[in-house]
Amino acid sequence: MTVTSKLDRRALLKGTALTGAAAIGAPVASLAAAPKQGVSRPTLYRFGLGDFEVTTILDGAIQLDGPQPIFGANASAEDVAALAAENFLPVGRMEITFTVTVVNTGDQVVLFDTGNGGNGFVPRPTAGQLRELLAGAGIAPEQVDLVAMTHFHRDHMGGLMEDGSAAFPNASYVMAANEYDFWSNPDLVSHEQLGKGAAVVQSNVVPHAPKTRFIKDGDSVASGITAVASNGHTPGHTSYHVESAGKRLLVLGDVCNHYVMSLQRPDWHVVFDMDKEMAVAARKAVLGMIAADRIPFIGYHMPPPAVGYLEPKAKGFRFVPVGYQLNL
C-alpha cells in the first residue's frame, strides 16, 4: 500500500510559529562579532605577453578633493559634475592610485618607474613600499636590471633612492634626455612651483647619471621595448611600447591621469600637466593609437590592476578594464 503525505501550508506555518515562540525564552549562545579589518585591495597582477611576463604593482593610493579643479580646468563645473555622475563617481572626492610595472623579458627584469619611495617627500601612509611589494612578487631589488623612467614627478621617481643608497643596486637606467636636461638644472631648485620636485631630482635622479642611457623617441630600450615620446605632462614624458611574439602593450606613465576624466574628455586640462595643450595632443595621439590597434595598455593612475583597453566614445574613449583576455 502506498501512503501519500500531503503537506498543508497552514499547518506548516502554524508549526513554525509555535516552534519559534517556544524558542524565544530559550537561552541562545552569543556569537562574538569579528573585528573589522579595514579596506583591502589586490596589489599584484601578473600576465603573459608573448614570451614576456608582466606584473603590475599597486604602490598605494590617496584620497583628495576632486575631480575639479585637478581635472577639467578649462571646462565648466556643471560639465565635470555631469560626467562624474554619468560614470557613478562622486563630485566632491576622488582617489588617485599609483601602479608600477615590471616586465621580465627572460633576459632582463625591467622596472618602469619606482613609485613614491619611503623618503617622505610626499607623505602618503599607504604608498612608498615598492621594494617590499616587489619581494612579494618574487623579485628582489638586486634582480632589477633596468629602470625605465617615464618622467620625474615625485610619485614616479621617489623610490629611486632609499636610505641614501640606490634602491636597485645592480640596475642601469634609461630616461629621456630632454626630461633630464630640464629637471637636472640646479637653478630650478629655487623655482617657486617646481623647486621641491627639482630638489628631489637632485637627490634621487642625478646620482644615477653615470649608469644612465639618455634616450629619445623611437630608441630601443631593451629587447622588445621601445621609447615613445609623449611630451606635455612634463617636457620629456616618455611612454614605452612593449612587444613579444606578436603581442603588444603600451606602458603610458601619466599620459592619462584618470580613467574617466582624462579618457572620456582628453581635451580637458589637467593641473599636473606642465604644457596643457601639448599634453592634450599627446593624449589624443597615443590613446587614439591604442584604440585603433585594439591593444592593452597600463596607466600609472588607472584603477588597479591598471590594465585595460580603449573604446572610442563621443569626444574621447571609454576605459575597458582587462578581463580574462591576457590569461589565455
Side-chain angles (χ1 to χ4, degrees), residues 155-166:
D155 55 324
H156 295 256
M157 54 79 174
L160 279 168
M161 301 283 283
E162 294 288 358
D163 301 319
S165 301

Side-chain angles (χ1 to χ4, degrees), residues 8-206:
D8 183 89
R9 181 171 177 272
R10 286 187 181 179
L12 176 63
L13 291 175
K14 183 177 179 182
T16 302
L18 290 172
T19 303
I24 289 176
V28 178
S30 62
L31 299 177
K36 294 180 179 179
Q37 301 298 315
V39 175
S40 178
R41 69 184 91 199
T43 57
L44 301 176
Y45 177 63
R46 182 179 292 119
F47 59 93
L49 188 81
D51 297 325
F52 292 175
E53 187 173 77
V54 181
T55 306
T56 64
I57 301 175
L58 176 66
D59 184 38
I62 57 171
Q63 290 79 37
L64 66 168
D65 293 340
Q68 212 176 37
I70 295 175
F71 298 94
N74 58 336
S76 70
E78 292 76 16
D79 285 348
V80 174
L83 185 64
E86 180 184 330
N87 288 274
F88 304 95
L89 294 174
V91 173
R93 294 288 285 175
M94 61 178 289
E95 180 176 79
I96 294 179
T97 53
F98 313 98
T99 299
V100 174
T101 300
V102 182
V103 174
N104 188 338
T105 70
D107 298 317
Q108 287 184 297
V109 174
V110 184
L111 174 66
F112 295 87
D113 292 334
T114 62
N116 290 269
N119 291 309
F121 300 118
V122 182
R124 289 167 178 165
T126 68
Q129 292 122 30
L130 179 60
R131 289 195 300 180
E132 292 83 354
L133 292 166
L134 277 170
I139 302 169
E142 294 78 14
Q143 292 177 305
V144 175
D145 299 295
L146 181 66
V147 176
M149 298 302 302
T150 63
H151 65 295
F152 293 170
H153 282 164
R154 284 177 282 177
D155 55 324
H156 295 256
M157 54 79 174
L160 279 168
M161 301 283 283
E162 294 288 358
D163 301 319
S165 301
F168 308 100
N170 297 322
S172 58
Y173 307 84
V174 294
M175 54 192 73
N178 51 343
E179 184 79 357
Y180 184 86
D181 290 344
F182 177 85
W183 286 103
S184 64
N185 181 351
D187 294 337
L188 196 62
V189 174
S190 60
H191 190 280
E192 183 178 357
Q193 283 82 36
L194 305 177
K196 289 184 179 179
V200 181
V201 170
Q202 291 296 324
S203 64
N204 273 32
V205 180
V206 172

Side-chain angles (χ1 to χ4, degrees), residues 304-318:
V307 188
Y309 299 83
L310 291 177
E311 174 191 27
K313 176 182 178 180
K315 300 177 181 178
F317 308 89
R318 182 176 72 91

Side-chain angles (χ1 to χ4, degrees), residues 151-153 179 182-183 188 191 193-194 231-237 254 257 270-280 283:
H151 65 295
F152 293 170
H153 282 164
E179 184 79 357
F182 177 85
W183 286 103
L188 196 62
H191 190 280
Q193 283 82 36
L194 305 177
N231 307 336
H233 183 66
T234 59
H237 185 281
D254 281 8
N257 297 80
V270 180
V271 70
F272 305 123
D273 291 340
M274 294 175 65
D275 187 321
K276 304 291 192 288
E277 288 303 324
M278 185 180 291
V280 166
R283 262 194 299 280

